[in-house]
Amino acid sequence: MAWPNIFGRGTLFSRFSHHHVVVFLLTFFSYSLLHASRKTFSNVKVSISEQWTPSAFNTSVELPVEIWSSNHLFPSAEDATLFLGTLDTIFLFSYAVGLFISGIVGDRLNLRWVLSFGMCSSALVVFVFGTLTEWLHFYNQWLYCCLWIVNGLLQSTGWPCVVAIMGNWFGKAGRGVVFGLWSACASVGNILGACLASSVLQYGYEYAFLVTASVQFAGGIVIFFGLLVSPEEIGLSSIEAEANFEEDSHRPLINGAENEDDYEPNYSVQEDSAVTQVKAISFYQACCLPGVIPYSLAYACLKLVNYSFFFWLPFYLSNNFGWKEAEADKLSIWYDVGGIIGGTLQGFISDILQKRAPVLALSLLLAVGSLIGYSRSPDDKSINALLMTVTGFFIGGPSNMISSAISADLGRQELIQGSSEALATVTGIVDGTGSIGAAVGQYLVSLIRDKLGWMWVFYFFILMTSCTILFISPLIVREIFYLVRRRQTHILSE
Amino acid sequence: MAPGGLPRLAGLARWAAALLLALGVARAPALPEVCVRCPGSVRRWSRVALFCERTPARSLRARCCLDPEGAVLGLDLQNCSLKDLGPDFPQAHTAVIIDLQANPLQGDLASTFRGFTQLQTLVLPQDVRCPGGINAWDTVTSYTDNQICQGQRNLCNTTGHLEMCPENGVCVPDGPGLMQCVCADGFHGYKCMRQGWFSLLTFFGILGSTTLSVSVLLWGTQRRKAETS
């Protein structure tokens, strides 16, 4: 009995209709496509900075100006790289701000419209940024900055919407493992973006943007015509109603105190007629929901570490070990692999425990150890890849879990159920705070690396991971206390 | 008759005249200005004349030897009192033979001959050095009243190092002693970074039809029964 419904009756998978599968795939690929267009940008950076600068080649041979040095947006490739880094930072900040806004918007308007609009419009912006400016040979720094700010804002509609839709379809039981698998979408998007970009890069970087933007636009259209935002849309009962019914009938022995966290109290008949439009929660109310602030702050620290790995790992590898850039790029995929496995496995364990914070805490403690281990990695590719996977498992895993499964838990907790829409808003708050952390982190990491060296970057990561544990410690204490209590009552009841 | 009849007829006549003129021009191309830089015509028995008479299709006009398309193959500007070669000189960039002897030419000629890739024989006044220096030519012969630079060398091949041009670039001769980097075969665009052409039609064809069919399929299986709120 302590092992809940997940495998006991095999309900987790048998309960899923083809609608669930389609929703899973559509949300998965819509976010993948959004991430793919971001990855395209980082993969064509070399080509773009070549396009923006005159040739620096030194030769006695005449270099005709129109072929080799007619573009003078930046005097050298270093300046162009610096500007591209600035664009990254600008994007992260506007993305973070956008997350807060689009979460609120998503809960008030139709999630499908918001998601579809976000995908199509950001695809258009990417098209203008990368393709149109090149076709017209119009290169302007301010235009690029403005377009990238707008792109950040529009891209931010993606995550809160897809998490909210997934939260609508997949209930708390089994949410950990489903979301764990599902949060591979970012990594799949990275791989997709890298493949798309590299396959057309020979025709010119503008086609890399054109292809990813077009595919993303097409994805937006498909979402508009094919996505069901919630089971209620086709007259199915909502997941809470279902879960409530099942738990009611299968778990008769409930200690009153236990209700507190995992067990939804009986709520009114409102849920059965949930088709009626429910009122959205205010931003302030969403912030005050229990767990939102601690998890947001924790995620800010954790996403900082996670994104630093994402952005700096290839650079660190080629810089510290002298490995080739393409090789380092390929090797850094192992971090993602570790993150996906970690997220799924930890989600699965947390489903069994019905508590997520203790799993996070354990994983983060081990993450500190793995960071120390990774910072002392020998100059050997296979050992490094292994350590990288382990680090990804313990850092990427919890990071995926907070941004998806836990956000969905928070947005669907009992306090607001049935009375309001909060999922997208809460997801926006958690991920928005996280993205601010990530944006600040990018700056701090480059600063620390310049002033103190790579070793201190790792110390900084360890500090940030510890901060994550600190922020969620009240929840850990409470949930462990609850687990012990449940075990005791369980023993007593048998 | 319509009032506009007469002007229309006149317009037609003018148009026909223009057409005839155009045809005439096509038959006898306009003489490049460089050929009349100096009065007179190519002297008989001069090097340029001998070169031109070797093939019947070539014709001598003013100071030039022209091929049937009107491109300059030979240029004889000897004894023209030229101090410099003037702005029209690049018109002769297709020339195989150029005779400039008996002119008080001044300054360095190196960049004047940029683009003269066909040039094989250049006759200069005695005191003027061959453009590109002695290494740019197979033989340089000095006579009492002139100097002959013979056989233009391709320096791209002779200098030996392959890394003369940036990535995707290739070295090609650009006149005596001159080289330039252009895009290697198959490459194009700024800094020769692009290779091949992207087929927009195929891409959007496939993407469009896929999108349409997936949308229709999902609409049918998913959203058809959805209650629109």
Side-chain angles (χ1 to χ4, degrees), chain B residues 41-51 53 60 62 76 78:
Chain B
S41 58
V42 179
R43 278 194 308 151
R44 286 192 68 75
W45 311 116
S46 72
R47 284 188 178 80
V48 175
L50 289 173
F51 161 82
E53 281 149 10
L60 281 169
D76 187 350
Q78 59 174 294

Side-chain angles (χ1 to χ4, degrees), chain A residues 19 53 59 67 202 227, chain B residues 164 181 191 194-195 222-223:
Chain A
H19 294 302
T53 53
T59 176
I67 304 179
Q202 56 161 327
L227 186 66
Chain B
M164 294 170 77
C181 290
K191 290 189 183 173
R194 292 164 175 82
Q195 191 181 19
Q222 307 293 314
R223 282 210 65 85

